[in-house]
Amino acid sequence: MDVFSPEKRSQVMSRIRSKDTKPEKIIRSILHKLGFRFRINRKDLPGKPDIVLPKYKTIIFVHGCFWHQHEGCRIASNPKSNIDFWNKKFSNNIERDKKNQKALKKMGYRVFVIWECEVKFFLKNSDELRKMLLSDINYIFSLKQNHNDL
């Protein structure tokens, strides 16, 4: 049973943002302070990624733990009313995420997912975000450099 009337539930749900969420803004702020330049919500890419770093051919999705059902996360609880609707909704979200990530990888992008519950960690440890994003890139650059030295 829902704790809100249908009118109040509608009002509550209408205020939920699909872009420019607080976790997205925090991650974008950290990236900007680290010197990364990026584009947001590119409509020409599958899934309209939250953050695109074109220079690094890298995509970052900042997923809400509830809406994308972060496995093992306490925020990813299931509503107790309208269970069939929510199960279908969550399963469709997860399948769409997988499909979009697969398409982006096929296009040559590296895809990272930062979960809502991880944002506080990156806020306190911004260098970890930089390391994560540059990890494979440094390896690729070193391979190219070694190849050029031959």
Side-chain angles (χ1 to χ4, degrees):
M1 189 68 184
D2 199 348
V3 295
F4 294 124
S5 69
E7 295 79 21
K8 179 67 175 175
R9 172 60 60 202
S10 180
Q11 179 188 13
V12 168
M13 296 301 286
S14 72
R15 296 185 53 108
I16 296 173
R17 305 175 73 90
S18 64
K19 57 184 179 181
D20 292 331
T21 63
K22 186 174 181 179
E24 284 178 37
K25 287 180 178 181
I26 291 169
I27 294 297
R28 292 192 318 232
S29 174
I30 294 168
L31 288 170
H32 196 266
K33 287 176 186 170
L34 290 171
F36 288 98
R37 298 301 173 252
F38 49 85
R39 301 285 171 256
I40 57 174
N41 306 116
R42 285 215 5 217
K43 293 177 180 69
D44 61 322
L45 293 173
K48 292 187 271 181
D50 299 318
I51 301 168
V52 181
L53 294 103
K55 178 178 178 180
Y56 302 102
K57 197 101 165 132
T58 298
I59 302 284
I60 301 173
F61 286 101
V62 182
H63 281 341
C65 297
F66 174 77
W67 294 105
H68 297 270
Q69 289 295 284
H70 184 198
E71 201 170 315
C73 180
R74 65 178 177 77
I75 302 172
S77 62
N78 289 339
K80 292 178 180 35
S81 63
N82 210 356
I83 295 168
D84 291 336
F85 167 82
W86 285 109
N87 286 339
K88 185 176 180 193
K89 171 80 173 157
F90 293 145
S91 121
N92 288 344
N93 286 353
I94 292 166
E95 282 306 308
R96 186 185 62 238
D97 291 342
K98 287 179 187 175
K99 187 183 97 198
N100 289 332
Q101 289 175 25
K102 185 177 178 180
L104 289 162
K105 287 175 183 176
K106 202 171 187 176
M107 295 170 71
Y109 284 95
R110 294 178 326 130
V111 179
F112 292 97
V113 174
I114 296 176
W115 292 97
E116 172 186 10
C117 65
E118 298 170 335
V119 170
K120 282 184 184 177
F121 169 79
F122 287 120
L123 193 55
K124 293 177 184 172
N125 303 285
S126 60
D127 202 48
E128 291 300 317
L129 181 59
R130 185 185 60 76
K131 286 178 190 174
M132 180 183 82
L133 294 173
L134 295 178
S135 61
D136 291 340
I137 292 170
N138 288 336
Y139 179 71
I140 291 166
F141 284 148
S142 69
L143 281 178
K144 285 181 180 178
Q145 186 62 43
N146 290 337
H147 179 73
N148 291 338
D149 290 344
L150 296 176

